[in-house]
Amino acid sequence: MKLASFTHQGTRSYGIVKADGVVDLGRRIGTRYADLKALLAADALNDAQQYASEISDYALNALQFLPVIEHPEKILCVGMNYAEKRKEFDQHNPAPTLFVRFPDSQTGHNAPVLKPRHSCEFDYEGELAVIIGKGGENISRSAALEHVGGYSCYMDGSARDWQHTWFTAGKNWRQTGAFGPWMTTADEIPDPHQLAIRTWLNGRMVQEDNTASMIHKVAELIEYISTFTRLSPGDVIITGSPGGVGKKRTPPLFMNAGDRIEVEIEHIGHLSNVIMDAPAQQLTAAH
């Protein structure tokens, strides 16, 4: 089952994605589960599943997609998690490299990704996103995949010239992380480490690998992260990017206004966004 968050004619909702459109779950069970995060928190995917055979309410092109989980409590990101990426950055630390994204740094499928006005090095990174379905702490590696609600695509846009000695400042500009187009539930992905992952910039393939190349696997990451913080339904773990990033190319290849960036992960989805320059911030004086 594929589940998306969206707006339709200005109304926020979520639903089941089918070949011909979306079944609006908000209309059917929204009084019980306000959004996809609430559906996961209530362990109610089976309640949603009973509507999968119904006729679609809207065509996909009638929707404005939101980030799959619009307001996760946590977005935990893994750096340097593919062998080729580690070679590019000459990284040798054996422990998982972690940083955080803030929820307001996200945007949805087909929505603009905003190039930060103060960055000249806005880079692409296509990644597998893991969405927690069942919360917990001190989760064992053997049980970790039981806590996954589903998987999605993520384009972890990076302002390289703002990463400095760490990643946070380079990763949290508004609308720089694209998340979608939808979540494929975990029952359809028995092994998250057998998935082709590709990124295109303006139709040119710039990243190609397989999730089998991850150094720290999904179950290991859940075990490690849940040791120091409790994971909650709707939390997102972004599992790292393959090699081929623009920063390490000769010459470097960065994203600019008008570019199209796409991330495709086998059996999950195809995320597509156009880059726009971030608007100037307008400050309103207090009265």
Side-chain angles (χ1 to χ4, degrees), residues 100-268:
V100 296
R101 263 192 178 273
F102 307 140
D104 63 0
S105 72
Q106 301 189 123
T107 194
H109 171 61
N110 279 339
V113 165
L114 300 182
K115 176 186 175 295
R117 292 172 56 83
H118 298 286
S119 176
C120 298
E121 297 186 355
F122 188 40
D123 207 347
Y124 52 83
E125 297 196 57
E127 311 196 17
L128 173 70
V130 177
I131 300 157
I132 297 298
K134 182 172 71 173
E137 56 188 331
N138 297 312
I139 299 167
S140 69
R141 193 173 309 190
S142 61
L145 294 186
E146 299 170 15
H147 290 257
V148 176
Y151 301 91
S152 189
C153 305
Y154 212 100
M155 199 294 293
D156 184 25
S158 305
R160 298 290 187 200
D161 42 358
W162 278 81
Q163 288 186 183
H164 308 308
T165 58
W166 203 235
F167 299 114
T168 302
K171 297 285 189 174
N172 282 288
W173 301 79
R174 185 166 64 92
Q175 284 185 228
T176 54
F179 183 15
W182 42 68
M183 177 185 93
T184 298
T185 51
D187 61 297
E188 295 193 8
I189 309 293
D191 184 353
H193 298 291
Q194 295 295 326
L195 306 172
I197 179 170
R198 302 180 181 93
T199 306
W200 289 269
L201 181 61
N202 297 325
R204 170 189 175 187
M205 189 181 295
V206 290
Q207 293 181 294
E208 183 179 21
D209 209 324
N210 191 287
T211 54
S213 300
M214 281 186 197
I215 294 165
H216 303 290
K217 308 301 188 187
V218 170
E220 178 188 351
L221 293 170
I222 290 172
E223 178 185 60
Y224 180 77
I225 291 167
S226 69
T227 303
F228 65 83
T229 186
R230 181 176 179 82
L231 289 170
S232 300
D235 284 354
V236 182
I237 301 172
I238 308 171
T239 56
S241 169
V245 295
K247 175 71 173 178
K248 294 300 180 179
R249 289 177 176 265
T250 305
L253 178 65
F254 295 119
M255 298 187 292
N256 293 288
D259 289 344
R260 179 171 291 277
I261 187 69
E262 300 169 83
V263 178
E264 182 180 56
I265 303 178
E266 186 179 14
H267 304 308
I268 293 178

Side-chain angles (χ1 to χ4, degrees), residues 30-90:
T31 55
R32 285 182 284 160
Y33 318 115
D35 54 19
L36 188 47
K37 179 179 165 183
L39 187 78
L40 291 171
D43 191 22
L45 287 178
N46 287 339
D47 285 7
Q49 181 70 54
Q50 65 180 303
Y51 299 101
S53 61
E54 297 203 1
I55 296 172
S56 296
D57 297 295
Y58 320 121
L60 293 177
N61 62 11
L63 307 178
Q64 288 75 51
F65 285 89
L66 298 168
V68 177
I69 305 296
E70 197 173 2
H71 301 292
E73 288 185 19
K74 304 179 190 72
I75 306 171
L76 296 136
C77 310
V78 185
M80 307 300 165
N81 201 27
Y82 284 77
E84 289 301 314
K85 178 78 171 292
R86 289 171 72 88
K87 289 179 186 176
E88 287 179 344
F89 284 82
D90 194 28

